Amino acid sequence: MRFSLNQWTTRHWPLPDLAAGCASAGVTGVGLWREPVAEYGLANTAKLMRDHGLTVTSLCRGGFFQEPDALESNRRAIEEAAELGAPSLCLVSGGLPDGSRDLDGARSRVADVLAGLAPYAGEHGVQLALEPLHPMYCSDRCVVSTLAQALDMATPFPAAQVGVMIDTYHLWWDPDVWDGIARAGAEGRLSLFQVADWVTPLPEGVLTGRGMLGDGCVEFRRFREAVDATGYEGPIEVEIFNDALWSMPGPEALALTLSRYNEHVA
Amino acid sequence: MRFSLNQWTTRHWPLPDLAAGCASAGVTGVGLWREPVAEYGLANTAKLMRDHGLTVTSLCRGGFFQEPDALESNRRAIEEAAELGAPSLCLVSGGLPDGSRDLDGARSRVADVLAGLAPYAGEHGVQLALEPLHPMYCSDRCVVSTLAQALDMATPFPAAQVGVMIDTYHLWWDPDVWDGIARAGAEGRLSLFQVADWVTPLPEGVLTGRGMLGDGCVEFRRFREAVDATGYEGPIEVEIFNDALWSMPGPEALALTLSRYNEHVA
């Protein structure tokens, strides 16, 4: 089963309940987030996952490279990913510093911090997964906006150290995304495939408007087949930020997500 | 004076007041919108502009190519632009048809309708100005999302018939925008340069969140200099959709816009 439940899809589901719920639904992979893992305890989480036969498919998230302590905090995130057995650490690269208009500078800063982190990631067996975020997040969340740009930024590093994420929500609009997916595969940098649907109108702040699979306009099968065509056999993580979904009980949200995944993605 | 006031920046200012207000402020160019022009009357508008020594720098907007009557309605828009003496007709290409996920199909449809329109535009001395809109509008407003894509779509047509628009609000995030501006200039397709600032958080529906010049993170001078470097000597239209600006009296909104333009763009 390639389906993996990203923890933020059911963000209010306590970790032990989520683990039991996934195991009971036959789900074998989960993508975890640092904050709830820290709250439950890193070693406790690793044990909880093992006890329920769950694989940690990724750890969200490092990045935010504009922060002064970016190098140190990302090193800790790498250590955490390694302890959880997560093959990749998702990187949301951060936006512009407060009051700055220096977009080139912010992008250079990403490259600089990556250079400091990549060998450390390699030593820990963790691939840094640069995630291009939708351009609507460029100023405040992530200055890495297209797959081609993410791949260019990964180029100086060995593929085992720096890869890229393909998230349909962020990339569905990009006319170059199909070439980018093929390139990511050819370069051995396809770290992780995530899915969420695109729906409008967008909510205020545009953070919680991701759509349940099938509710929007993303061509999921086309994406999945393009990713598969590169030889990628890894997990398909469902990561949906959505108020309606978050207000549902965890087991119900998981059942809906699984059902839509089977209908639209698998 | 290269400054031009796009009518939507002061959208509640009645056309005769806007014309008098611009003339009194020394503004010589305005970008007009079809709906208020139709309301005031096409011939009346053309006369009003002449009487106040105003040049119509563009007509907004044609496009919406997913509509069944796109060819006919865009022909009318071309005729209107010609009668107003506007050198270009701004095209917002339209999103996906209701319920559709066929993004490639929608983009092909743009190319097909353009092919039907371009000679008609040429006969009327109007350049069709394909506007790449920010990718956050891809599903519901405009499937043309990057400058490179717009230029590719323009390629089959003579430059006098089909050009592109550079709007900082839509393009500021794009790592390829500087190459795109140079290419647009080299190909003789730079129809119009528009400016608005990028500010967050975005409002619900993301339509009215454009920022007053200087309130956000756009590098206006860098854009203006890149556009100038192509040899473009045309107008710089300020087009801001913003509730706070719309609630101001027209003369006050124009004075603020002019002052910010001089501070950040000129």
Side-chain angles (χ1 to χ4, degrees), chain B residues 130-149:
Chain B
L130 267 180
E131 180 167 23
L133 254 61
H134 194 285
M136 69 187 176
Y137 299 118
C138 185
S139 67
D140 53 7
R141 305 213 148 237
C142 186
V143 294
V144 180
S145 307
T146 68
L147 183 51
Q149 183 193 10

Side-chain angles (χ1 to χ4, degrees), chain B residues 57-79:
Chain B
T57 53
S58 73
L59 181 64
C60 294
R61 54 196 184 174
F64 294 97
F65 297 124
Q66 83 284 10
E67 301 291 341
D69 68 341
L71 199 57
E72 189 43 50
S73 71
N74 278 286
R75 283 193 174 138
R76 285 197 304 273
I78 289 166
E79 294 159 11

Side-chain angles (χ1 to χ4, degrees), chain A residues 90-91 129-132 147 163-167 171 191-192 194:
Chain A
C90 305
L91 298 182
L130 266 181
E131 181 168 22
L147 184 50
V164 298
M165 295 181 54
I166 312 283
D167 185 319
L171 300 176
S191 302
L192 184 62
Q194 288 187 330

Side-chain angles (χ1 to χ4, degrees), chain B residues 1-5 9-10 13 21-29 212-213 221 236 238 240 245 250-266:
Chain B
M1 188 194 225
R2 298 175 72 187
F3 174 93
S4 170
L5 177 70
T9 300
T10 53
W13 209 6
C22 282
S24 133
V27 169
T28 56
M212 174 47 68
L213 312 174
R221 283 235 163 65
I236 302 176
V238 182
I240 303 174
L245 195 58
E252 201 177 307
L254 174 58
L256 175 64
T257 305
L258 260 174
S259 149
R260 292 296 191 88
Y261 170 86
N262 285 322
E263 186 180 351
H264 295 281
V265 185

Side-chain angles (χ1 to χ4, degrees), chain B residues 71-196:
Chain B
L71 199 57
E72 189 43 50
S73 71
N74 278 286
R75 283 193 174 138
R76 285 197 304 273
I78 289 166
E79 294 159 11
E80 292 162 23
E83 180 152 349
L84 293 167
S88 61
L89 173 67
C90 305
L91 297 182
V92 172
S93 294
L96 294 167
D98 278 351
S100 168
R101 296 186 177 107
D102 184 8
L103 184 52
D104 283 356
R107 286 167 170 166
S108 293
R109 165 90 177 156
V110 175
D112 291 346
V113 183
L114 265 187
L117 282 178
Y120 196 74
E123 289 161 22
H124 286 77
V126 172
Q127 189 184 39
L128 300 173
L130 267 180
E131 180 167 23
L133 254 61
H134 194 285
M136 69 187 176
Y137 299 118
C138 185
S139 67
D140 53 7
R141 305 213 148 237
C142 186
V143 294
V144 180
S145 307
T146 68
L147 183 51
Q149 183 193 10
L151 285 165
D152 288 347
M153 296 180 94
T155 295
F157 310 103
Q161 293 177 11
V162 183
V164 298
M165 292 179 57
I166 312 284
D167 185 320
T168 59
Y169 187 76
H170 298 302
L171 300 176
W172 75 276
W173 60 272
D174 186 349
D176 295 329
V177 73
W178 313 113
D179 288 346
I181 291 172
R183 178 181 161 199
E187 296 179 357
R189 296 194 192 272
L190 210 164
S191 302
L192 184 63
F193 178 38
Q194 289 187 329
V195 289

Side-chain angles (χ1 to χ4, degrees), chain A residues 101 104 107 173 202 205 222, chain B residues 104 107 173 202 205 214 222:
Chain A
R101 298 186 176 108
D104 282 357
R107 287 167 170 165
W173 59 271
L202 294 163
R222 185 177 181 191
Chain B
D104 283 356
R107 286 167 170 166
W173 60 272
L202 295 163
R222 185 177 181 191

